[in-house]
Amino acid sequence: MFFYLIIFLHICKGHYIMKIMPGRILIIGCGGQIGTPLTNKLTELYGSRQILLSDIKPVDTPLDFVQLDVTDKNTLFETVKKYDVKEVYLLAALLSATAEKKPAEGWKINMEGLFNVLHLAKDKYIEKIFWPSSIAIFGPTTPKKNTPQHTVVEPVTVYGISKYAGELWCQYYHQKYGVDVRSLRYPGLISYDAPPGGGTTDYAVEIFHYAIKKQHYTCFLKPDTRLPMMYMPDAIHATISLMESSYEKIRNRMSYNIHAFDFTPQEIFNEIKKHIPEFTIDYQPDFRQQIADSWPQSIDDTEARNDWGWQPKYSFSVMVEDMIKNLQQKILKNV
Ligand code: NAD
């Protein structure tokens, strides 16, 4: 009897309990930098049968997968109905550097994809949406240090304009139609799971790959370009905490500022060098410098902390150590 009680208590600690969901969770853009670790975490929490993946490109996965373009409204609607989808994580987008090269395409994917998903919620096919915004909504006129939640917002990139317009549409659909849409303004995200997808902060991931392979790195930003950043496990933790918070706690229906740490290319180079002393770097800024110069250096995330208890777990130095360890293991496995 005592033995069974111990097993029961162990299960109740939560580690082995799968959360029960009515209907499925659809991740759109599952094959990208955020989609890959988010899929792993949601599968761990809800079980593989609850998850439906989709992307415009084929993705190698044992989970149920539908290849679709998020701008194709009919296929998206059919998929949601067929698989009884109730929650959507909409990650499909063109990121800052790519959208700057393909403005019309960037606007189309970033806006039409969001509208299609918002319509599904307005028509009551789905119950909850996660849609990420970005620090790119801020522009050169925004205060750069400890950028407040509510401040001057004049983005100067296609990506930033699309994200800010998206935030306003999320708020509109919430106020007008009661859509439960939740959003975070991610800073630059650093991850070992999947390569970055064409953003201005991609250097902060690339630099690790070069360091571990003992190759010289040429950075596309100036050495003193300070930007807000976050380790991917914290971004995933923030995303799921936001989605699991009770409805009343989410008082901001545009998008929450979240912050972990900020650094410059020179600072991350110095930190990596503590672990890999032979690493070398030089700097050849390209068009991404102008984008980075228009963004904040650090973010005030008091509202997220107060409303739904956001708190990052990883500091800058712990992130660097963990990245090197995990990336080394990953590279060794693939050799
Ligand atoms: P990513 O480029 O790595 O992944 C995006 C995925 O979407 C890719 O797998 C791509 O194939 C897919 N996709 C592109 N167009 C599509 C379409 N028309 N239909 C269906 N799928 C399509 O991007 P990410 O880094 O994973 O970012 C995900 C979201 O988070 C985006 O909205 C991005 O703007 C936002 N964000 C990311 C960062 C970051 O540092 N990675 C920072 C701020 C905000």
Side-chain angles (χ1 to χ4, degrees):
M1 185 64 189
F2 182 67
F3 173 74
Y4 289 115
L5 182 67
I6 295 291
I7 299 272
F8 178 73
L9 288 175
H10 196 52
I11 289 171
C12 288
K13 269 173 78 185
H15 195 65
Y16 299 108
I17 282 191
M18 296 284 177
K19 301 187 182 199
I20 309 294
M21 269 279 304
R24 292 227 196 170
I25 300 172
L26 170 63
I27 306 175
I28 305 173
C30 69
Q33 199 196 5
I34 301 174
T36 306
L38 183 67
T39 300
N40 295 340
K41 193 66 198 175
L42 288 174
T43 307
E44 191 188 296
L45 288 173
Y46 293 96
S48 52
R49 284 163 56 185
Q50 294 290 127
I51 310 296
L52 177 64
L53 301 181
S54 79
D55 203 292
I56 198 167
K57 65 184 185 197
V59 171
D60 187 16
T61 170
L63 303 184
D64 286 345
F65 174 79
V66 179
Q67 190 169 348
L68 65 77
D69 180 340
V70 71
T71 62
D72 175 356
K73 192 175 171 174
N74 292 337
T75 311
L76 179 65
F77 276 41
E78 288 312 311
T79 304
V80 163
K81 281 192 255 172
K82 181 176 168 193
Y83 290 92
D84 189 28
V85 170
K86 290 290 171 240
E87 269 187 28
V88 172
Y89 288 77
L90 172 54
L91 305 177
L94 283 201
L95 270 60
S96 54
T98 315
E100 221 45 38
K101 286 184 185 160
K102 303 177 189 173
E105 204 182 318
W107 181 256
K108 182 177 160 68
I109 293 173
N110 297 0
M111 296 314 298
E112 271 184 38
L114 176 60
F115 271 126
N116 287 345
V117 176
L118 286 171
H119 276 200
L120 280 164
K122 172 178 172 265
D123 295 342
K124 310 284 181 227
Y125 289 106
I126 56 175
E127 292 168 3
K128 214 192 268 185
I129 303 167
F130 175 77
W131 173 79
S133 183
S134 161
I135 56 155
I137 64 146
F138 299 116
T141 49
T142 302
K144 283 210 175 299
K145 289 191 178 137
N146 271 328
T147 301
Q149 175 72 47
H150 306 279
T151 182
V152 181
V153 178
E154 294 176 335
V156 290
T157 61
V158 176
Y159 179 70
I161 296 168
S162 75
K163 288 292 184 188
Y164 194 55
E167 286 191 13
L168 290 164
W169 279 115
C170 286
Q171 179 174 256
Y172 183 85
Y173 270 71
H174 174 73
Q175 287 174 348
K176 188 104 178 168
Y177 307 115
V179 168
D180 187 358
V181 55
R182 303 168 182 215
S183 177
L184 299 172
R185 290 171 182 161
Y186 289 135
L189 299 179
I190 301 165
S191 149
Y192 55 86
D193 272 320
T200 302
T201 52
D202 287 6
Y203 91 85
V205 179
E206 283 174 8
I207 195 169
F208 284 99
H209 287 261
Y210 281 78
I212 286 166
K213 290 179 188 158
K214 310 263 187 291
Q215 291 169 352
H216 177 78
Y217 182 60
T218 298
C219 182
F220 58 74
L221 296 182
K222 287 187 208 155
D224 60 350
T225 312
R226 182 169 298 283
L227 288 169
M229 301 272 189
M230 183 176 289
Y231 197 27
M232 189 61 84
D234 267 337
I236 300 299
H237 159 66
T239 306
I240 292 174
S241 300
L242 178 80
M243 286 296 271
E244 290 191 339
S245 291
S246 59
Y247 184 89
E248 316 71 60
K249 283 190 177 169
I250 312 305
R251 295 186 307 155
N252 181 329
R253 294 295 179 157
M254 286 185 66
S255 189
Y256 280 99
N257 279 3
I258 50 169
H259 187 70
F261 41 72
D262 48 88
F263 57 80
T264 66
Q266 187 66 42
E267 285 168 1
I268 194 169
F269 169 72
N270 293 342
E271 193 64 31
I272 293 173
K273 239 175 124 58
K274 289 182 191 165
H275 304 268
I276 306 171
E278 61 275 34
F279 186 38
T280 55
I281 194 166
D282 72 337
Y283 299 91
Q284 287 176 26
D286 66 14
F287 72 101
R288 287 168 281 194
Q289 183 66 48
Q290 213 181 346
I291 302 179
D293 287 342
S294 74
W295 289 353
Q297 296 181 349
S298 59
I299 300 289
D300 177 1
D301 58 5
T302 312
E303 239 178 65
R305 287 172 189 254
N306 290 344
D307 285 4
W308 46 278
W310 156 244
Q311 188 130 43
K313 292 182 179 153
Y314 288 84
S315 66
F316 175 49
S317 58
V318 173
M319 175 278 291
V320 169
E321 204 178 327
D322 203 65
M323 259 309 267
I324 291 174
K325 191 181 83 197
N326 281 293
L327 208 50
Q328 266 166 343
Q329 279 169 3
K330 200 171 169 197
I331 288 170
L332 270 179
K333 251 194 229 164
N334 294 337
V335 171

